[in-house]
Amino acid sequence: MADQPCSVLINVNLLTTPTEQLIKQDFEVASSPKSILTKIQALKNAILLMQSGEKLPGILMHVIRYVLPEQDRTIKKLLYIFWEIVPKRDTTGKLLTEMILVCDAYRKDLLHPNEFIRGSTLRFLCKLREPELLEPLMPSIRSRLEDKYSYVRRNAVLALYTIYRSFEFLVPDAPELIQGYLESEQDPSCKRNAFIMLIHTDQQRALVHLQSCIDEIGSFDDILQLVIVELIYKVCQAKPTERAKFIRTVYNLLSSNSASVRYEAAGTLVTLSSTPTAVRAAAKCYVDLVVHESDNNVKLVVLDKLVKLQADHCNDLALQQELSMDVLRILGSTDIEVRQKTLDFLMCLISLRNVKDVVSLLKKEVIRTYSEIDKDQSTKTYQQLLVKALHQCGVHFPLTAEIVVPVLMDFLSESNEKAAESVLEFIREAVARFENLQPSIIEKLLISLPAVKSISVLHAGLWILGEYCTTKTQILALIEVIAKCVGALPIVDTEIRESTLLWKGEGEFKMASNQSRVTVDGTYATQSALATTIASSDEIPQLRKFLLAGEFFLGAALATSLTKITLRMPAASGALGQNKLNAQCMLILTSIIHLGRSSLPKRPISDDDVDWLSLCIRVINDRSPLLVDIFTRACRSSLQHMIGTFLRMELTETKKTLIRTDVDALINFSHLVNVNDNKAVDELELSLLQATEGTKKKESDMSTTALSKVYQLTGFSDPVYAEAYINVNQYDIVLDVLIVNQTPDTLQNLTLELATLGDLKLVDKASPITLAGNDFCNSKVQVKVASTETGIIFGNIVYDITGVSGDRSCVVLNDIHIDIMDYIVPSHCSDSVSNRMQRAEFSPVTSVYEQKVREWHSPLATK
């Protein structure tokens, strides 16, 4: 790219690159409608070549002679781009004599009868950096302030602003001129540009004008109100004593019709005053913006402002209570990201004062989403977020758990598996921490268990019921529910019998409708039929359906729950009741083992599940004291330990996010700070820099920067200086070599000759070039890498000097040592991907090992 960047990009698809001679020939075509198109294309080609770094020294005069007189608008637009990028000075730094003709063309365009050309010329003059060209045009630029078109006037103000900022001596009275212009101007866009100029050149004059019209600010256009907010912010940052004069004005701008004005006014108000009234007004304004704005990006930005506002005033409990109820209005948005950020922010606002109101409103929102018939993926995700929010409320504020639990239990039968899993996590934690809620939770869970559609939810629900059903009534109710979910026993015999009902005639019969038929001899006959019906798949209990599908890990969880309730059965039930319960549980477990070893399920039962089911049957029968202690006491203590660990982790994360201030930190009294010592951060300038330049990178060591990849190939005293930048991309190395001619002579047939040593291979060779005196160029060479061993690149530069006969000159280059390990950077690999890769690598070995173990195990089991 050229040294002077262009602010306009032109997309031109060139199949062949035109030469300077062809462009000149296109410029010299006689004027006609077709020649205009030819000149437009030639001018585009010239701009493209110049932006690509080509030097076209003879093109300037051709443009002045053949293109500049044209009045076509497209040519005028392209000429402004051309004048912007064309070199205007010679090698000594003096202005080219041809630019005098161009300056005259500028003056004529400023006086052109077309207002578009006048305004475009003024916009172009903002980009000129040659005071010699601008000085003759100053009277014409000043006169454009009185143009009858607002488009021309506002561009004239911008031109004066840029000229005054760069070359103040050309227009020393610009602030005074613009102040007088503001008093008579009526167009909002022109007044905005003039006000911006006064803000950045003479704030005192801007304040004088603002005070003269301070009562009329509410009726101003939004673009002018934005500039006024910026002026107030800058003035109050520089002079804190002036804040009291403008707080009322900023308050009034909070009710502006423009959303952008209200946003900027709220941010300015918080910086001017930290009183509770000002903070609440700004927070209310932010919430209204989020609720009424349709753009989701705007919603997210304003939510970030609300989060920052709450963090800066976290001790204001009244503010948090008001904000919590206002923030709930944002949940009406349809964007899931906005809802997620809103709920996360809401969790930071909850306290003992407002938790009941927040939970009641979240409860209504959960009921509304639960009652929706058609649920898309965003609605399911929103349900999961609501469940998570209610979970946090119930855990951190135990008084609300009694309200939260009944609402969340309805989600167990939902098809949204993630939401149901979140509910089970909360139920598991609530039943372990709140003993007073255990009876109601167990009762509700027993009712919801047959309708559960998720395997993981059913697994967790069985575990919770088996762990916390301790009374005789609860145990008998659980056995009844499990028997209902498993179905008729034994499972294998029942399934075989039901599958043969059709041909044995043992199903339910019903008479089909009579139909009239025509017989072979032409007479009519009535035909009747009996229809046999068997149980459909929808009538099969969910737990039984999972077992038939081969999900026998669920059977192992069922075995654990049955074992726990048989061991916890109170002794008051008697030996008969205890034996009846044991027999019923053993029948269920043996039926599951029989089903797993039959051909009915889609997948056979694994050996681990068989071993666990057999162990549970043995524990029920033998009641070993050690195993009884493990099933009845150790499991619950492990659960308590796990929940306590999670709570400690949450408290640790919360403490990390708390904003703490050291006890010896200085307190800044704004009224006692000197104006020159006020180093407050200008948030407007900071946000503008972040938007235009991005986040600045931290300064790093020189060895990790791009300069570490630059190798000097020749000495500074050599006639040709060369240095190379190494760019490594996987197995390719690209050498970008900078070649500088340090002599006044023209070097012809300059060739970069390179060779390699080691597992490196040159892909292409640099072509010969001609380099003018004191000129430079770039040459790229591609190298292929075959291994990680160190390779060496060496060579020389040979050239001929114009007008000098004899042997070719040669400059030997320094060697470049390439170690590919220096350019290999570590990458992140998640645990799941790593395990998958290891499994794929060792899967043959593992399968052989498992086969050998089974071969050794089978004789032992037989013995």
Side-chain angles (χ1 to χ4, degrees):
M1 296 297 291
D3 294 336
Q4 299 178 358
C6 179
S7 59
V8 181
L9 298 179
I10 300 176
N11 182 19
V12 182
N13 296 322
L14 297 179
L15 298 178
T16 59
T17 304
T19 61
E20 181 180 355
Q21 189 62 31
L22 290 177
I23 295 175
K24 289 181 179 179
Q25 290 177 5
D26 291 340
F27 284 157
E28 295 172 0
V29 177
S31 297
S32 65
K34 292 184 178 180
S35 67
I36 295 296
L37 298 177
T38 304
K39 291 182 179 181
I40 289 174
Q41 187 61 41
L43 192 55
K44 288 182 179 180
N45 294 338
I47 293 172
L48 181 64
L49 291 177
M50 295 178 70
Q51 283 292 87
S52 301
E54 296 290 337
K55 295 179 174 61
L56 305 176
I59 207 74
L60 179 60
M61 202 60 204
H62 273 70
V63 172
I64 294 174
R65 289 179 60 188
Y66 300 106
V67 183
L68 191 59
E70 298 291 346
Q71 298 300 318
D72 184 75
R73 290 188 179 182
T74 305
I75 289 182
K76 290 284 187 185
K77 291 179 182 179
L78 293 174
L79 279 176
Y80 293 140
I81 304 173
F82 179 81
W83 299 135
E84 183 181 349
I85 66 174
V86 71
K88 304 174 184 64
R89 300 182 183 274
D90 56 15
T91 55
T92 61
K94 293 183 180 180
L95 192 70
L96 295 175
T97 55
E98 294 89 342
M99 297 308 297
I100 299 175
L101 301 175
V102 179
C103 182
D104 184 64
Y106 296 160
R107 185 184 58 80
K108 290 180 180 179
D109 287 343
L110 287 175
L111 303 175
H112 198 278
N114 189 300
E115 68 277 5
F116 171 77
I117 294 178
R118 296 198 301 271
S120 300
T121 305
L122 289 167
R123 289 181 64 86
F124 162 71
L125 293 178
C126 296
K127 304 172 185 177
L128 277 185
R129 293 297 177 265
E130 287 76 24
E132 300 91 342
L133 293 177
L134 292 171
E135 186 174 4
L137 303 176
M138 292 311 301
S140 300
I141 297 174
R142 283 172 173 265
S143 64
R144 291 305 93 198
L145 290 175
E146 301 176 0
D147 198 284
K148 64 178 181 178
Y149 293 100
S150 59
Y151 174 73
V152 180
R153 295 198 303 273
R154 65 171 173 261
N155 284 307
V157 174
L158 287 179
L160 285 173
Y161 172 42
T162 54
I163 293 171
Y164 179 79
R165 189 174 56 181
S166 302
F167 313 106
E168 185 177 349
F169 63 90
L170 293 179
V171 53
D173 59 337
E176 183 180 356
L177 178 65
I178 294 301
Q179 184 182 11
Y181 167 78
L182 263 176
E183 295 177 356
S184 59
E185 181 59 55
Q186 299 298 325
D187 184 74
S189 60
C190 298
K191 295 180 71 174
R192 169 191 174 273
N193 290 355
F195 214 83
I196 289 176
M197 177 179 174
L198 287 182
I199 290 174
H200 293 89
T201 57
D202 195 340
Q203 285 190 4
Q204 189 60 37
R205 293 182 183 274
L207 282 176
V208 170
H209 179 75
L210 176 62
Q211 291 174 354
S212 64
C213 60
I214 197 168
D215 296 332
E216 305 173 2
I217 291 178
S219 61
F220 285 172
D221 199 79
D222 56 347
I223 57 175
L224 189 55
Q225 289 177 344
L226 285 173
V227 179
I228 292 174
V229 172
E230 180 183 355
L231 172 63
I232 293 174
Y233 180 84
K234 287 182 175 295
V235 170
C236 294
Q237 282 290 106
K239 301 178 180 179
T241 56
E242 301 286 336
R243 294 180 179 180
K245 297 181 181 179
F246 301 105
I247 287 181
R248 177 55 56 188
T249 303
V250 178
Y251 261 113
N252 295 334
L253 290 177
L254 291 178
S255 58
S256 175
N257 296 327
S258 173
S260 56
V261 174
R262 296 200 302 272
Y263 173 78
E264 295 294 342
T268 304
L269 180 62
V270 174
T271 59
L272 297 185
S273 175
S274 58
T275 59
T277 305
V279 174
R280 292 173 193 173
K284 186 177 183 303
C285 181
Y286 282 145
V287 173
D288 291 338
L289 284 173
V290 179
V291 172
H292 296 102
E293 272 298 317
S294 58
D295 191 349
N296 293 324
N297 295 323
V298 175
K299 292 176 181 288
L300 294 174
V301 171
V302 180
L303 276 173
D304 289 336
K305 283 287 186 180
L306 274 172
V307 172
K308 184 177 182 301
L309 186 66
Q310 187 271 337
D312 294 339
H313 303 83
C314 56
N315 296 326
D316 192 348
L317 298 180
L319 172 65
Q320 293 188 4
Q321 186 170 2
E322 292 181 8
L323 266 181
S324 61
M325 305 311 296
D326 290 336
V327 167
L328 286 170
R329 296 161 51 197
I330 307 175
L331 294 177
S333 175
T334 57
D335 185 70
I336 189 62
E337 190 174 356
V338 174
R339 286 174 165 177
Q340 181 177 2
K341 187 179 273 299
T342 303
L343 288 173
D344 293 341
F345 176 53
L346 185 62
M347 292 300 102
C348 301
L349 301 174
I350 294 180
S351 62
L352 287 174
R353 293 185 177 184
N354 56 8
V355 63
K356 291 186 178 180
D357 297 333
V358 172
V359 168
S360 62
L361 288 175
L362 290 178
K363 177 181 175 181
K364 293 179 182 178
E365 193 71 12
V366 168
I367 295 173
R368 184 185 65 80
T369 57
Y370 181 75
S371 60
E372 290 184 4
I373 299 176
D374 299 329
K375 298 178 182 178
D376 53 2
Q377 185 60 36
S378 62
T379 304
K380 294 180 180 180
T381 308
Y382 182 45
Q383 284 182 342
Q384 183 182 355
L385 294 175
L386 288 173
V387 169
K388 183 180 177 181
L390 287 172
H391 178 191
Q392 294 181 7
C393 293
V395 170
H396 295 294
F397 302 95
L399 296 176
T400 62
E402 189 174 355
I403 307 174
V404 173
V405 170
V407 180
L408 296 183
M409 295 294 282
D410 295 333
F411 276 94
L412 294 178
S413 58
E414 275 283 296
S415 58
N416 189 358
E417 185 174 352
K418 292 184 178 180
E421 289 177 357
S422 301
V423 171
L424 256 297
E425 289 179 6
F426 170 65
I427 291 175
R428 182 186 64 189
E429 190 170 348
V431 78
R433 293 183 58 190
F434 312 126
E435 295 183 359
N436 59 326
L437 297 179
Q438 287 182 4
S440 60
I441 293 176
I442 296 299
E443 180 183 358
K444 187 71 175 177
L445 192 56
L446 286 171
I447 297 173
S448 304
L449 192 66
V452 173
K453 302 176 183 178
S454 172
I455 297 177
S456 59
V457 175
L458 188 59
H459 177 278
L462 287 172
W463 194 94
I464 292 173
L465 289 173
E467 184 65 36
Y468 290 97
C469 286
T470 55
T471 64
K472 180 180 179 181
T473 306
Q474 292 174 346
I475 292 174
L476 294 178
L478 177 59
I479 284 292
E480 183 180 353
V481 170
I482 291 177
K484 180 180 177 182
C485 292
V486 174
L489 298 173
I491 301 176
V492 175
D493 297 342
T494 307
E495 289 295 324
I496 294 175
R497 185 171 61 253
E498 289 182 357
S499 63
T500 57
L501 282 179
L502 183 60
W503 62 273
K504 282 186 175 181
E506 298 179 4
E508 296 181 1
F509 296 96
K510 63 177 182 180
M511 181 67 69
S513 58
N514 297 330
Q515 296 182 357
S516 298
R517 301 288 182 180
V518 180
T519 60
V520 178
D521 57 355
T523 60
Y524 290 94
T526 302
Q527 182 180 10
S528 302
L530 288 177
T532 305
T533 60
I534 59 175
S536 62
S537 60
D538 294 336
E539 298 175 0
I540 301 176
Q542 199 68 36
L543 179 57
R544 190 187 189 97
K545 190 184 298 183
F546 287 141
L547 293 175
L548 291 173
E551 301 292 342
F552 289 102
F553 184 68
L554 186 60
L558 177 61
T560 304
S561 299
L562 292 175
T563 304
K564 289 180 179 179
I565 61 175
T566 54
L567 297 177
R568 290 196 176 100
M569 186 67 176
S573 59
L576 181 62
Q578 185 72 42
N579 292 335
K580 183 178 179 181
L581 177 64
N582 294 348
Q584 190 174 1
C585 294
M586 288 183 180
L587 178 61
I588 294 174
L589 299 183
T590 53
S591 297
I592 294 175
I593 296 176
H594 188 198
L595 174 65
R597 290 178 173 174
S598 67
S599 59
L600 292 178
K602 295 181 180 179
R603 292 190 300 272
I605 191 171
S606 64
D607 296 337
D608 293 337
D609 293 334
V610 172
D611 293 342
W612 182 254
L613 289 168
S614 303
L615 175 65
C616 291
I617 294 174
R618 189 177 297 112
V619 171
I620 294 174
N621 185 50
D622 298 342
R623 295 180 179 268
S624 170
L626 176 61
L627 294 176
V628 169
D629 181 69
I630 292 174
F631 275 89
T632 57
R633 185 193 60 80
C635 290
R636 185 171 298 188
S637 62
S638 299
L639 175 63
Q640 296 286 354
H641 178 70
M642 183 185 69
I643 293 175
T645 303
F646 286 160
L647 288 176
R648 286 192 296 271
M649 290 173 61
E650 289 182 4
L651 290 175
T652 304
E653 293 295 329
T654 305
K655 290 179 180 178
K656 288 181 180 178
T657 57
L658 289 176
I659 300 175
R660 298 186 179 274
T661 305
D662 295 334
V663 294
D664 57 346
L666 296 178
I667 301 176
N668 184 12
F669 295 95
S670 58
H671 294 283
L672 303 180
V673 176
N674 190 5
V675 176
N676 297 328
D677 296 336
N678 189 8
K679 299 181 180 180
V681 179
D682 191 344
E683 293 188 1
L684 290 177
E685 293 293 339
L686 184 61
S687 60
L688 181 61
L689 286 176
Q690 289 178 349
T692 55
E693 299 179 2
T695 306
K696 292 185 178 180
K697 297 181 179 180
K698 296 181 179 179
E699 296 182 0
S700 57
D701 187 28
M702 182 65 72
S703 60
T704 62
T705 61
L707 292 177
S708 62
K709 302 177 183 179
V710 177
Y711 291 85
Q712 184 177 348
L713 301 180
T714 63
F716 291 110
S717 60
D718 290 328
V720 177
Y721 173 77
E723 64 181 20
Y725 171 73
I726 300 178
N727 184 16
V728 178
N729 183 15
Q730 293 184 352
Y731 302 104
D732 296 333
I733 297 178
V734 178
L735 299 180
D736 189 357
V737 184
L738 171 66
I739 303 174
V740 182
N741 180 10
Q742 301 192 107
T743 66
D745 301 324
T746 300
L747 306 182
Q748 294 180 340
N749 298 326
L750 189 144
T751 307
L752 177 64
E753 298 178 349
L754 295 177
T756 59
L757 183 65
D759 292 332
L760 301 177
K761 180 181 178 181
L762 284 174
V763 178
D764 50 7
K765 295 183 179 180
S767 57
I769 57 176
T770 300
L771 204 58
N774 299 317
D775 201 356
F776 64 90
C777 67
N778 287 77
S779 180
K780 292 185 179 181
V781 180
Q782 189 173 2
V783 181
K784 281 285 184 181
V785 181
S787 69
T788 58
E789 296 180 359
T790 302
I792 299 175
I793 301 175
F794 60 95
N796 50 43
I797 295 176
V798 295
Y799 57 90
D800 296 328
I801 301 176
T802 304
V804 178
S805 59
D807 296 335
R808 303 188 70 185
S809 302
C810 177
V811 177
V812 180
L813 305 179
N814 294 330
D815 296 343
I816 302 176
H817 294 262
I818 301 293
D819 188 359
I820 197 65
M821 299 303 294
D822 294 340
Y823 300 93
I824 296 177
V825 295
S827 180
H828 175 71
C829 181
S830 62
D831 295 338
S832 59
V833 176
S834 176
N835 294 336
R836 197 183 314 123
M837 294 172 62
Q838 293 177 6
R839 251 186 268 116
E841 183 176 358
F842 298 108
S843 57
V845 180
T846 307
S847 60
V848 172
Y849 175 73
E850 290 179 352
Q851 184 178 1
K852 291 294 183 182
V853 169
R854 290 182 180 178
E855 290 176 358
W856 298 336
H857 180 69
S858 55
L860 295 176
T862 305
K863 292 179 181 179

